């Protein structure tokens, strides 16, 4: 399965494409960031971001699009803008006839690091580990786009389009370990986590127990 | 000047087109509502709404697009969705290379009725009067789309695209009467308001003074 992950943003919109095989092994296909100049009117910036998403869909032909859901934050203007980018991105996926999944930031963090409250650096680190990259993709928006794609692939939520709200939003019950027997991807994840621990990075699951 | 007004919504998206001459006389070109079925996934619904807006732009060739700005309301899901529709509509305007203006609901109401707190029925009534229609366009979304188009035309805010935020959002100072000498459009508006008063409808400007 090929997944296009999008981390919506107007100044930087992360776009990542991964392949996932039947054993849930993941590999990097493409990662990048669509940018739009801050001195341009918002609707022209949205058009530029939309064009970049269309291009990624046309070039890499994903089977599904996964977007990170934005939540209300302290900055209302920022939320408004990001919601608009999300709308533009969803329109692109819709016009391409692709199924779409929306995952919350905590779902993404939990799928990637084991903790729904993991920091950005930790997510970036794990994304690099999972995809076998030497370094974490930069900027954070690029890594976040890959993270939501991996999250979607690993959580294994099926295609949608029939559900009235159009969003897949399955609740996370116990993280990856709840999946039953350990798959290749889980081993991959466990190995990556072990490496992280060996290097002295904090395992998110033991934070607060020190 | 030809203005395309949009009242963003996923179930019903109002689309109205008006012509305004140099004397600010307004006339109806087109009014309609783009609908999308509630049992369809959101991103496919956004694509349908976007297609309808593209079609209106291609058919009626407006020189500017005016959108009613959505604000935070009690229903977060509704705001989220409407913001996404707004993003999709803005992308359409941006791809068409058109200037875009965003007006708040109170700006629209004030421009159309003289009161920023006018009710829906009053706005519908005045839209019909201003455009010389026998009946108010239904549903309310259609009338609201015309209202934001009239608001934009009458407030005379210039083309934009250079401003960093991409939105025209001039504060209203004293309503239409602040424009100086009375234009044709103002007379048209004053006549419509007088007719409304004669019929016993409440003049929004005297509300609270009874």
């Amino acid at each position: 399965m090929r997944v296009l992950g999008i981390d919506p943003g107007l100044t930087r919109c992360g776009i990542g494409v991964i392949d996932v095989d039947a054993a849930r092994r993941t590999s990097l296909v493409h990662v990048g960031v669509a940018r739009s100049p801050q001195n341009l009117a918002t609707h022209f910036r949205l058009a530029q971001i939309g064009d970049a998403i269309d291009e990624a869909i046309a070039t890499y032909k994903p089977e599904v699009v996964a977007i990170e859901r934005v939540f209300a934050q302290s900055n209302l203007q920022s939320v408004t803008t990001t919601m608009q980018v999300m709308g533009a991105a969803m329109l692109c996926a819709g016009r391409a006839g692709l199924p779409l999944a929306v995952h919350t930031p905590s779902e993404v963090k939990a799928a990637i690091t084991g903790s729904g409250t993991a920091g950005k650096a930790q997510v970036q680190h794990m994304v690099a580990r999972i995809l076998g990259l030497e370094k974490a993709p930069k900027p954070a928006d690029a890594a976040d786009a890959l993270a939501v794609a991996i999250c979607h692939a690993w959580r294994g939520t099926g295609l949608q389009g029939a559900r009235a709200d159009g969003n897949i939003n399955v609740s996370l019950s116990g993280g990856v370990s709840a999946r039953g027997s350990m798959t290749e991807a889980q081993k991959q994840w466990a190995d990556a986590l072990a490496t992280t621990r060996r290097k002295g990075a904090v395992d998110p699951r033991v934070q607060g127990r020190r």
Side-chain angles (χ1 to χ4, degrees), chain A:
Chain A
M1 180 169 63
R2 180 163 288 190
V3 185
L4 170 65
I6 298 175
D7 180 43
L10 198 56
T11 304
R12 290 182 304 276
C13 180
I15 296 175
V17 184
I18 61 160
D19 276 339
V20 189
D21 69 12
R24 295 195 174 172
R25 277 181 301 248
T26 56
S27 57
L28 177 68
V29 176
H30 166 79
V31 65
V33 169
R35 297 171 194 270
S36 73
Q38 295 195 20
N39 61 349
L40 198 64
T42 304
H43 63 303
F44 292 129
R45 300 180 71 183
L46 287 169
Q48 287 194 356
I49 299 291
D51 289 350
I53 292 170
D54 279 354
E55 195 185 327
I57 290 174
T59 306
Y60 302 106
K61 299 181 176 52
E63 288 149 77
V64 58
V65 176
I67 303 187
E68 185 161 325
R69 183 192 293 275
V70 191
F71 279 107
Q73 295 157 357
S74 53
N75 185 341
L76 185 66
Q77 181 55 50
S78 161
V79 173
T80 298
T81 305
T82 315
M83 285 292 175
Q84 289 168 354
V85 176
M86 203 172 156
M90 290 170 78
L91 177 138
C92 294
R95 282 186 168 167
L98 294 173
L100 179 89
V102 178
H103 297 283
T104 65
S106 61
E107 283 167 0
V108 173
K109 288 174 185 172
I112 303 293
T113 71
S115 163
T117 58
K120 276 210 175 287
Q122 202 173 5
V123 171
Q124 285 179 300
H125 182 87
M126 288 301 294
V127 164
R129 283 272 152 205
I130 291 162
L131 295 174
L133 309 175
E134 298 229 334
K135 286 195 292 186
K138 299 267 176 143
D141 315 80
D144 285 347
L146 292 171
V148 70
I150 295 167
C151 167
H152 179 69
W154 279 9
R155 296 186 70 197
T157 44
L159 301 190
Q160 52 94 46
R163 272 193 55 189
D165 69 355
N167 299 332
I168 292 172
N169 201 355
V170 179
S171 68
L172 191 74
S173 54
V176 176
S177 61
R179 292 187 189 284
S181 63
M182 205 178 222
T183 63
E184 265 306 310
Q186 285 169 20
K187 285 176 201 154
Q188 195 175 11
W189 175 79
D191 290 347
L193 201 64
T195 309
T196 308
R197 269 200 297 271
R198 276 199 300 277
K199 289 195 169 175
V202 177
D203 177 350
R205 294 173 303 181
V206 298
Q207 273 184 344
R209 282 195 244 147
R210 293 188 167 188

